[in-house]
Amino acid sequence: MAKRPWSPEEDAEVSSAKRPRYGPTDRLSALSDELVLRTLSFLPISNLVVCHRLSRRLCTLSSDSQLWKSAYYNRFVRPRASRIPGIRDQGASSASLLYSSRISKWLKDDHLVKGGNETNWKKQYKLRHNWSKGSCYVSEIQISERPSLPPMLVRLYEDIVITADKPYGLRAWIMKGSQRLLASLDLNLDGGKEEVWDAPTSLAIDTSSSNVSSLRTSVGFADGRFGVYALNKEDGNLKCQYIHAASSNGTVSAIAYAAPYLVTMTDAQLLSLYSFSPHSTDADFIRDPPRLLASLKSHTAWPPLTLSIRASSSSIIISIAYALPTYLSGWSVGLQELRISTEGTVIHSRLTSATTQGFTPLFASSSGFTTPTSEIDETQPRSARRGALPPLTKPTSLSYSHPYLLASHPDNTLTLYLVQSNDTDLVITDGSRLWGHTSSVSGAHVGDRGKAVSVSAHGGEIRVWELEGGISSTSSKKRAAAGQASIQIRPEPKKSERRSGASGMSVDRLERQRSHCGQAVDETSTTRDWVGFDEEKVVVLREKGQGTQALVVYDFS
């Protein structure tokens, strides 16, 4: 079939019928940076992250600190403010909940506002987002090739982990960047003379010091000794400043240190408060022995227990949280607060417990800590209770950071108590049971901003708890009873690489990120009753089947 001949007139008609094509008009580039920032402030976080990949200008503007500061407030600060009584009753539309740069509106996150331009708000948002999702990197550092008896002691403070045991002595590990051993010291060396001591049984870090280049620690021993040690972070030098003589009062089961004051607790339930010379702690060696300010005896403080000490210009406040056995209602907790003058005089003592009305402790004496010379005043029992809890098993660990007192139990649960304190009274509210773990809870730790982390004895199950409002509302109690009040951290390797920005906060280093020893995380290992955390990471002491011990680091940054 022959083709139809081409006609110029028909081609002209078709060309004229075609619609003209116009290129896309870039209206956004003509706007000023201020208008673009205003526009970006209305975008959700997922779209804001996408802007990072559009152009260099939008990448810079979408990373603006004020955008992320506002997003941080609206997601993490504002919901907490809405739970505060008074503000909560006014309704969510109250103007008091709107975004504000005033420090008073930021509650316990005010330290970020005080940081000024040094605060990376995008990084802080990403960090909190990872905590809320349980998303993190995992690495492991092998620290011992054989088990330690008694168990190894571990403490974490500002990217430094301090470990103490008999075979390896006192060691400092740096957790930031390349995880490595920073310094070590043989605990059997005293003034150049080798002497065989008993094993370390308690460990504490002085968190009250303003010296950023030095970290002071104290160690208690099974023979009643205790020592003070100083770590120089800059040159990695760890040295012994003072060793106290052995004592017949028994093993130092707990210790707390806030220079120049140090408090110890022995297995014989003897509490001792010491005071060093104010200027001696800054020296290389403490030559003058400390002065014993007070010695008090208890008949009701059962392990596990925790000590804390706060010092002011006129007095020292010691808080002792301990387990307390009761008739029929199982185990409970008790708390005593001692205020002692700098001269060693007991100003007052306040004692309280969470025992239910109608049940009494197993021991008739409930006088707490007493002195041979004077009787300590105590608070009277409370007249009303909200109701009895189911029988509680003996706690496996206690952690106290006012106002939260958290106990872990071998029956897969935790109990949260709220401590109410004023000038005249000290009260522990009835505990709130927290469910979520699938095996015995071996350890728990409460931070200073209402966050807690707990770890199970087997399987490496770790949960993060937000304690604010945990026992104040009916909905929070229902979530706790249903096991929905926590976030489980169990990272798994993913095929895709981690994306940049706040939307790609995945876990992808479980297999390929190893420590210097080249060991992978073992899910069948056993946790040795210790877990600690800071703003960026969770550190767990884990023991494997062969007895080797390792620090497992969950990094949320």
Side-chain angles (χ1 to χ4, degrees), residues 203-460:
L203 175 66
I205 296 179
D206 179 15
T207 60
S208 62
S209 176
S210 58
N211 189 351
V212 296
S213 62
S214 178
L215 183 64
R216 292 192 293 259
T217 63
S218 57
V219 181
F221 296 89
D223 58 1
R225 299 174 188 256
F226 66 84
V228 177
Y229 304 86
L231 169 67
N232 191 314
K233 300 178 183 179
E234 297 178 352
D235 58 13
N237 183 24
L238 185 60
K239 58 187 177 183
C240 176
Q241 290 186 309
Y242 175 78
I243 290 293
H244 196 273
S247 172
S248 60
N249 294 321
T251 299
V252 180
S253 58
I255 192 169
Y257 186 32
Y261 302 104
L262 185 145
V263 58
T264 62
M265 182 75 172
T266 67
D267 283 347
Q269 299 184 356
L270 179 66
L271 183 76
S272 301
L273 175 63
Y274 298 89
S275 174
F276 290 93
S277 173
H279 303 289
S280 62
T281 54
D282 295 329
D284 291 340
F285 299 98
I286 303 176
R287 304 187 182 277
D288 299 328
R291 181 165 61 98
L292 179 62
L293 293 182
S295 183
L296 305 96
K297 182 72 174 180
S298 171
H299 302 281
T300 59
W302 287 72
L305 59 84
T306 177
L307 286 178
S308 61
I309 182 173
R310 307 190 308 272
S312 64
S313 58
S314 59
S315 62
I316 305 103
I317 300 176
I318 302 173
S319 298
I320 310 103
Y322 52 90
L324 182 66
T326 62
Y327 284 114
L328 303 181
S329 59
W331 285 79
S332 182
V333 296
L335 179 67
Q336 185 162 8
E337 186 177 276
L338 298 167
R339 182 181 292 272
I340 302 176
S341 68
T342 55
E343 300 299 325
T345 303
V346 178
I347 301 175
H348 70 76
S349 171
R350 299 189 296 180
L351 179 68
T352 185
S353 66
T355 54
T356 308
Q357 185 181 11
F359 299 107
T360 57
L362 288 175
F363 301 92
S365 173
S366 60
S367 57
F369 292 90
T370 58
T371 59
T373 57
S374 62
E375 184 178 356
I376 300 176
D377 296 333
E378 302 164 4
T379 59
Q380 296 298 325
R382 287 169 284 172
S383 59
R385 288 283 184 173
R386 292 181 297 172
L389 286 171
L392 294 173
T393 56
K394 183 179 180 180
T396 56
S397 69
L398 282 179
S399 181
Y400 175 53
S401 178
H402 188 80
Y404 304 106
L405 176 58
L406 187 63
S408 61
H409 302 281
D411 60 356
N412 307 359
T413 66
L414 299 97
T415 306
L416 174 63
Y417 304 91
L418 183 63
V419 179
Q420 300 174 353
S421 176
N422 52 39
D423 294 338
T424 58
D425 297 324
L426 180 66
V427 177
I428 300 179
T429 62
D430 291 334
S432 176
R433 297 295 288 271
L434 303 178
W435 281 266
H437 279 276
T438 57
S439 61
S440 172
V441 186
S442 63
H445 178 68
V446 180
D448 57 354
R449 293 188 179 91
K451 181 185 295 182
V453 174
S454 58
V455 59
S456 61
H458 301 280

Side-chain angles (χ1 to χ4, degrees), residues 12-331:
E13 293 178 0
V14 173
S15 299
S16 60
K18 292 182 179 180
R19 295 181 180 180
R21 297 180 179 180
Y22 298 99
T25 303
D26 185 4
R27 304 180 187 277
L28 190 63
S29 299
L31 298 179
S32 64
D33 290 348
E34 291 77 10
L35 291 177
V36 175
L37 284 173
R38 180 63 176 173
T39 304
L40 294 177
S41 65
F42 295 100
L43 294 180
I45 294 299
S46 57
N47 292 344
L48 192 62
V49 173
V50 173
C51 293
H52 290 12
R53 304 191 293 268
L54 298 181
S55 66
R56 292 184 179 180
R57 184 191 181 201
L58 285 179
C59 180
T60 302
L61 294 178
S62 61
S63 302
D64 184 78
S65 182
Q66 291 301 316
L67 286 178
W68 292 96
K69 180 179 180 181
S70 177
Y72 184 98
Y73 179 88
N74 291 325
R75 180 176 178 184
F76 301 114
V77 180
R78 185 173 179 176
R80 295 169 55 201
S82 64
R83 295 194 294 263
I84 298 177
I87 296 180
R88 178 186 57 198
D89 300 337
Q90 296 174 12
S93 60
S94 173
S96 59
L97 295 182
L98 297 179
Y99 169 75
S100 174
S101 59
R102 292 175 55 187
I103 296 179
S104 60
K105 292 289 187 71
W106 286 79
L107 305 180
K108 292 185 178 180
D109 289 306
D110 57 352
H111 66 289
L112 298 176
V113 182
K114 294 178 181 178
N117 295 331
E118 297 180 358
T119 300
N120 187 334
W121 287 103
K122 181 181 176 182
K123 179 181 177 181
Q124 292 297 327
Y125 185 96
K126 174 183 173 182
L127 183 64
R128 289 291 296 271
H129 173 86
N130 286 346
W131 275 102
S132 65
K133 299 298 182 181
S135 179
C136 58
Y137 286 142
V138 180
S139 60
E140 184 175 301
I141 307 175
Q142 183 174 325
I143 59 176
S144 176
E145 297 180 353
R146 57 184 183 272
S148 176
L149 291 176
M152 180 178 295
L153 307 172
V154 187
R155 293 294 182 271
L156 168 67
Y157 181 70
E158 291 185 351
D159 297 319
I160 299 293
V161 170
I162 303 294
T163 62
D165 62 343
K166 188 173 183 179
Y168 296 96
L170 189 66
R171 292 178 292 175
W173 307 81
I174 185 167
M175 297 288 105
K176 192 172 184 179
S178 58
Q179 301 166 354
R180 58 185 175 84
L181 178 64
L182 180 62
S184 62
L185 179 67
D186 190 349
L187 293 176
N188 288 334
L189 295 179
D190 180 15
K193 299 179 180 180
E194 185 172 355
E195 185 178 357
V196 179
W197 296 355
D198 286 342
T201 54
S202 56
L203 175 66
I205 296 179
D206 179 15
T207 60
S208 62
S209 176
S210 58
N211 189 351
V212 296
S213 62
S214 178
L215 183 64
R216 292 192 293 259
T217 63
S218 57
V219 181
F221 296 89
D223 58 1
R225 299 174 188 256
F226 66 84
V228 177
Y229 304 86
L231 169 67
N232 191 314
K233 300 178 183 179
E234 297 178 352
D235 58 13
N237 183 24
L238 185 60
K239 58 187 177 183
C240 176
Q241 290 186 309
Y242 175 78
I243 290 293
H244 196 273
S247 172
S248 60
N249 294 321
T251 299
V252 180
S253 58
I255 192 169
Y257 186 32
Y261 302 104
L262 185 145
V263 58
T264 62
M265 182 75 172
T266 67
D267 283 347
Q269 299 184 356
L270 179 66
L271 183 76
S272 301
L273 175 63
Y274 298 89
S275 174
F276 290 93
S277 173
H279 303 289
S280 62
T281 54
D282 295 329
D284 291 340
F285 299 98
I286 303 176
R287 304 187 182 277
D288 299 328
R291 181 165 61 98
L292 179 62
L293 293 182
S295 183
L296 305 96
K297 182 72 174 180
S298 171
H299 302 281
T300 59
W302 287 72
L305 59 84
T306 177
L307 286 178
S308 61
I309 182 173
R310 307 190 308 272
S312 64
S313 58
S314 59
S315 62
I316 305 103
I317 300 176
I318 302 173
S319 298
I320 310 103
Y322 52 90
L324 182 66
T326 62
Y327 284 114
L328 303 181
S329 59
W331 285 79

